[in-house]
């Protein structure tokens, strides 16, 4: 029987956010969704750090609002989380900027397509022919290509020959 | 195959985190450092807000690293995004509601931002929180009127000088008293606006820097081309 | 320092803070005077080298700790300066000067120089810091600066490689943050010395091991550890070669230093060392096998870098002083070697077939490459041989797991010999000028530039002076594993620091 105390709910929320974020990050195929999932996961991680400082029945660590000697929560994790949130903001802003340039270069944010194009561009920049590609057909051509002049001539049965793609 | 491996990794991570959470004591943490900071912050730093006392006092070096991260992110984004696109001067205005709202919100957001920045050592707030509100004021202005040219040179100068001000205050403490980022100046009376020594100065420098940096970042993003490749 | 008026200069915070100041002011200064702006970066780096020399002279190799802002540890942040910290802190500005972007100009030059200065500042911070969250902040700063530098080639493939690197790095950092949260929850402190004191009673249980695993994955991204090293071949092949040199040579060593500090001070358990050993072995094997299959020079270097860093982790996983000595030897050797090879790659980028006959047309470059290759394989009397010998001898004295690792290293050496000599054969092939492929790939430049010969000379100097170098490294290793000395330096007063308090 899981006791539904405050502790369980808070920890479940924090860890749930981290898990949802990590799931989205590793299972997603679209770069923007991965950045958003990272954002959720970071929020969960920060929540986990803040929870590390909680004390039951204590007040916020500001002097002058309660009688001196009242129990206060741990201020150190809050300072750590301040730093961590700002770090997350910086990284995400930079990620969005890079995403804009990726879209401008390749016209898509689909990760599989982008990795394919990136590998192709890297090989071309180095002057190496690509031997492995998940998009290129494997094996030999089954039929010889149709010569250029023989276009739009229906054969004996009446089918048109297909356009030759040069 | 990749998805199966990722799924296994995520499930393993979830399981690990749940097990960890089950074993950690909640509300019974060993406050080794926290208790001593709570006891000593009033004398050491003189600020009423102990979290700000940690951010700009006890862990001021971390804060220096943090403003550098924002600076590095803004610089890298500027490096990546490049120039203003040609058609930006003809961007349509944001509409009646956005325009009227921006005119109302801009001065209020600036006021609230400045309030949060300079009261950081008295109430919850500080340089970062107030700086983000200041940046939000500029966000609203940029979104309402995207065709206005943002002066990136001025933003670069402001953020550079504000960051340098933070470090120069620290080096001044080093030269005067032999320790980098030591709290200088008189502590004053706790609870007054002019108290806690150099902390409001550090807080203001950070607020100006964060505000200008985030505003510049948004301006870069809104001005860059995302059109056809 | 003679004059006490300038005694404040000998402060370990300055080599961290001055490059940051220079980076902040680079924009405004360049607007006033472009000439001063171009010189500001290298000048700051030269001053940092001098400052670190002063730090060494001031204390003669004895460790000392400085509390930032006079907030004594563990309330505030301490900077801990010992020999290994100074060694790596000295390497940072020197290598940054070697790989400074002199050829870039204009607005891009200002931004790239600022990012490089920030990289220098945060890398120095990683070496000198004594507080786990401070290390995390500087680690993130290194990451953000490296994202910007990795994308500086402005090609589509560079952007895709950078965004994948960013996502992997950010995930690792999130896990490291959770690890730090667990550390704080168990011990209540963030200072490494205090953690070292409280570790035997609080962290030697499965929860502590879980925290170590999370921190290892987090800091292992930069250290090219298996399995978070998939970003390495893509980024090193698409970034400018000088950026790859800095990331592969310098930044990875600092990430390894962070892992070593955690291992030696806080997680001094056999399970943690075994985890590091297994991950190192897996990384080494996978890296070298991929290097064997690579067909362009930059990617071959990237995979071989993964392999060598796997060996570094195997070495550091050995207990005691001998482990740190072996790891330091391999790590420093790799620092010089990989930087030199990437400096060559700056002129030799591209397919290895295109390099045919280059060794005959430019004998110096060919000789430098062959020397580096021999040292990487481990041919006596080059330093690579001694480094590998120390690792193998240390491994032979341990249990069966380590003997398996020793076998793996020997197999890997054979693989390295194969692919390195394959390229050497191509370099010295007759009649190579006609074998340059079309498709607009620029022909490889002749000669070896300035940086590669410089690093080659360093390697030769180390060969000649191998005995004093080994003695020096031994003294560094002895100081590093002295946990009691570390705690004593940070907490000089006789009574123990704050004990663990339970909330009533």
């Amino acid at each position: 029987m899981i006791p539904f105390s405050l502790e369980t709910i808070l920890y479940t929320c924090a860890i749930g956010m981290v898990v949802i974020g990590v799931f989205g990050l590793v299972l997603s195929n679209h770069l923007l969704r991965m950045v958003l999932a990272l954002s959720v996961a970071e929020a969960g991680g920060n929540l986990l750090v803040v929870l590390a400082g909680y004390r039951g029945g204590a007040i916020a660590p500001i002097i002058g609002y309660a009688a001196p000697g009242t129990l206060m929560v741990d201020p150190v994790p809050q300072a750590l989380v301040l730093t961590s949130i700002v770090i997350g903001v910086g990284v995400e802003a930079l990620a969005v900027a890079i995403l804009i340039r990726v879209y401008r270069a390749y016209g898509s944010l689909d990760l599989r397509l982008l990795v394919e194009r990136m590998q192709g561009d890297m090989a071309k920049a180095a002057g190496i022919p690509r031997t492995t590609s998940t998009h290129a057909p494997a094996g030999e051509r089954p039929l010889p290509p149709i010569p250029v002049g023989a276009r739009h001539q229906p054969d004996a049965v009446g089918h048109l020959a297909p356009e030759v793609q040069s | 195959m990749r998805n199966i491996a990722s799924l296994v990794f995520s499930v393993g991570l979830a399981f690990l985190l749940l097990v960890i959470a089950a074993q950690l004591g909640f509300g019974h943490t060993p406050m080794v450092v926290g208790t001593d900071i709570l006891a000593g912050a009033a004398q050491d730093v003189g600020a009423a807000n102990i979290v700000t006392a940690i951010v700009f006092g006890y862990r001021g070096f971390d804060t220096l690293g943090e403003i550098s991260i924002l600076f590095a992110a803004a610089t890298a984004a500027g490096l990546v995004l490049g120039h203003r696109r040609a058609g930006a001067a003809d961007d349509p205005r944001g509409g009646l509601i956005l325009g009227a709202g921006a005119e109302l919100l801009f001065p209020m957001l600036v006021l609230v931002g400045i309030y949060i920045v300079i009261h950081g050592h008295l109430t919850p707030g500080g340089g970062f929180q107030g700086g983000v509100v200041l940046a939000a004021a500029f966000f609203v202005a940029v979104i309402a009127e995207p065709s206005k040219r943002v002066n990136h040179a001025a933003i670069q100068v402001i953020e550079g000088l504000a960051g340098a001000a933070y470090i120069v205050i620290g080096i001044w403490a080093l030269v005067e008293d032999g320790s980098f980022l030591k709290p200088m100046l008189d502590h004053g009376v706790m609870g007054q606006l002019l108290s806690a020594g150099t902390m409001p100065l550090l807080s203001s420098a950070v607020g100006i820097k964060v505000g200008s940096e985030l505003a510049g970042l948004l301006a870069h993003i809104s001005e860059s081309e995302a059109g056809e490749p | 320092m003679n004059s006490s008026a300038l005694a404040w200069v000998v402060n370990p915070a300055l080599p961290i803070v001055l490059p940051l100041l220079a980076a902040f002011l680079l924009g405004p200064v360049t607007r006033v005077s472009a000439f001063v702006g171009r010189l500001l970066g290298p000048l700051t780096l030269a001053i940092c080298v001098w400052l670190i020399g002063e730090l060494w002279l001031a204390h003669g190799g004895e460790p000392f700790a400085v509390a930032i802002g006079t907030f004594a540890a563990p309330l505030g942040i301490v900077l801990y300066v010992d020999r290994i910290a100074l060694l790596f802190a000295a390497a940072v500005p020197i290598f940054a000067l070697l790989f400074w972007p002199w050829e870039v100009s204009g607005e891009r030059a200002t931004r790239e120089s600022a990012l490089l200065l920030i990289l220098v500042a945060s890398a120095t911070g990683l070496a000198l810091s004594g507080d786990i969250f401070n290390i995390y902040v500087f680690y993130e700063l290194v990451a953000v600066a490296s994202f910007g530098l990795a994308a500086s080639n402005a090609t589509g493939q560079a952007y895709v490689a950078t965004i994948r690197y960013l996502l992997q790095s950010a995930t690792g950092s999130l896990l490291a943050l959770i690890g730090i949260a667990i550390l704080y929850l168990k011990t209540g402190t963030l200072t490494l010395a205090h953690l070292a004191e409280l570790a035997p009673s609080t962290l030697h249980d499965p929860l502590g091991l879980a925290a170590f695993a999370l921190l290892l994955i987090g800091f292992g991204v930069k250290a090219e550890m298996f399995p978070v090293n998939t970003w390495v071949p893509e980024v090193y092949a698409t970034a400018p070669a000088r950026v790859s040199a800095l990331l592969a040579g310098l930044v990875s060593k600092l990430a390894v230093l962070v892992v070593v500090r955690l291992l030696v001070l806080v997680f001094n358990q056999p399970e943690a060392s075994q985890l590091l050993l297994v991950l190192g072995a897996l990384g080494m094997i996978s890296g070298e096998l991929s290097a064997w299959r690579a067909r362009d020079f930059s990617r071959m270097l990237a995979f071989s870098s993964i392999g060598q860093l796997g060996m570094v982790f195997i070495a550091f996983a050995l207990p005691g002083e001998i482990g740190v000595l072996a790891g330091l030897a391999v790590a420093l050797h790799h620092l010089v070697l990989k930087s030199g090879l990437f400096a060559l790659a700056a002129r030799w980028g591209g397919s290895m077939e295109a390099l045919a006959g280059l060794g005959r047309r430019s004998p110096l470059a060919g000789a430098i490459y062959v020397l580096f290759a021999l040292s990487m394989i481990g041919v006596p009397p080059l330093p690579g041989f001694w480094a590998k010998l120390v690792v193998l001898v240390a491994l032979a004295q341990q249990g069966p797991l380590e003997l398996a690792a020793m076998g793996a290293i020997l197999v890997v050496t054979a693989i390295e010999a194969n692919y390195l000599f394959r390229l050497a054969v191509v370099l010295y092939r007759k009649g190579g000028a006609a074998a340059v492929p079309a498709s607009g790939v620029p022909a490889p430049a002749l000669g070896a530039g300035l940086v590669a010969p410089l690093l080659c000379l360093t390697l030769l100097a180390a060969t000649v002076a191998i005995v004093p170098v080994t003695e020096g490294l031994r003294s560094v290793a002895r100081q590093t594993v002295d946990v009691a000395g570390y705690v004593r330096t940070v907490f000089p007063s006789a009574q123990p620091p704050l004990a663990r308090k339970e909330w009533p």
Side-chain angles (χ1 to χ4, degrees), chain C residues 145-385:
Chain C
S146 63
F147 299 153
L149 288 172
S152 59
N153 245 352
T155 55
Q157 63 260 34
Y159 291 131
V160 177
T162 309
I163 189 70
R164 295 191 78 197
Y165 171 31
L166 188 153
L167 288 170
Q168 199 162 34
S169 178
T171 314
S173 302
L174 172 68
L175 294 177
L177 186 67
I178 298 181
I180 295 178
I182 298 177
L183 273 185
Y184 188 76
L185 268 167
K186 294 281 291 181
T187 57
T189 178
L190 292 168
T191 314
L192 281 179
H194 202 192
L195 283 171
E197 264 211 306
L198 295 174
S201 51
T202 53
L203 290 174
H204 283 222
D205 59 350
L207 205 53
L209 199 59
F212 178 66
L214 289 171
L215 284 168
L216 198 59
I217 295 183
F219 292 119
V221 173
K222 284 277 177 324
E224 302 175 19
M225 199 183 67
F226 184 88
V228 280
N229 55 10
T230 51
W231 60 273
V232 171
E234 298 164 5
V235 170
Y236 288 1
T238 55
R242 52 182 160 78
V243 171
S244 303
L246 281 175
L247 286 179
L250 195 59
V251 172
S252 57
K253 303 304 167 303
L254 285 157
V256 167
L257 176 63
V258 169
V259 170
V260 167
R261 284 267 203 226
L262 283 175
L263 192 66
V264 164
L265 291 174
V266 184
F267 295 102
N268 215 343
Q269 321 159 29
E271 295 91 5
S273 302
Q274 273 165 14
L275 179 63
L276 201 59
L277 186 75
V278 167
L279 289 176
L282 285 172
M284 182 175 73
I285 298 174
S286 67
E288 300 287 1
L289 282 177
S290 307
W292 184 62
R293 291 182 50 216
R295 300 189 52 198
D296 66 310
F297 195 40
S298 309
R299 250 195 282 203
M300 180 187 97
L301 290 181
F303 283 121
S304 121
S305 175
I306 296 178
Q308 293 277 306
L309 278 165
M311 190 159 67
V312 168
F313 278 124
I314 292 178
F316 275 121
L318 297 167
E321 180 187 323
I322 192 73
V324 176
L325 173 64
L328 266 180
V330 184
L332 289 172
H333 171 247
H334 185 246
L335 170 62
V336 174
L337 200 73
K338 232 352 118 19
S339 308
L341 282 171
F342 269 112
L344 280 178
R347 302 167 144 259
W348 290 1
S351 155
M352 294 203 273
E353 287 306 314
L355 302 172
L358 200 65
R360 292 182 185 275
R361 283 176 284 150
S362 156
L364 181 63
I368 291 179
Y369 171 77
V370 169
L371 208 65
F372 282 147
L374 288 176
S375 194
M376 173 135 57
I377 298 169
V379 170
L382 291 166
F385 167 72

Side-chain angles (χ1 to χ4, degrees), chain A residues 11 18 22 25 31 34-35 38 41-42 45-46 48-49 51-52 55-56 71 74 76-77 79-81 83-84 87 91 94-95 98-99 101-102 105-106 111 114-115 118-119 121-129 131-132, chain C residues 133 136-137 140 144 147-148 151 154-164 166-167 170-171 174-175 177-178 180-181 184-185 188 190 233-234 237-238 293 295-296 299 349-352 354 437-439 441-442 503-504:
Chain A
Y11 265 136
V18 174
V22 170
L25 201 51
L31 276 178
M34 288 169 86
V35 172
L38 180 72
E42 274 178 3
N46 292 332
L48 205 58
V49 174
L51 287 177
R55 272 164 139 190
L71 219 50
D74 196 350
V76 174
L80 303 183
V81 162
T83 309
S84 173
I87 294 176
V91 169
L94 185 55
I98 298 179
L99 278 184
R101 286 305 297 253
V102 165
Y106 288 124
L111 191 60
L114 285 173
V115 170
M118 171 183 72
Q119 301 282 3
D121 281 346
M122 278 162 69
K124 204 176 351 163
I128 307 170
T131 48
T132 57
Chain C
F133 193 74
Y136 174 79
V137 171
E140 285 295 295
V144 173
F147 299 153
T155 55
Q157 63 260 34
Y159 291 131
V160 177
T162 309
I163 189 70
R164 295 191 78 197
L166 188 153
L167 288 170
T171 314
L174 172 68
L175 294 177
L177 186 67
I178 298 181
I180 295 178
Y184 188 76
L185 268 167
L190 292 168
E234 298 164 5
T238 55
R293 291 182 50 216
R295 300 189 52 198
D296 66 310
R299 250 195 282 203
S351 155
M352 294 203 273
S439 82
V441 177
W503 178 59

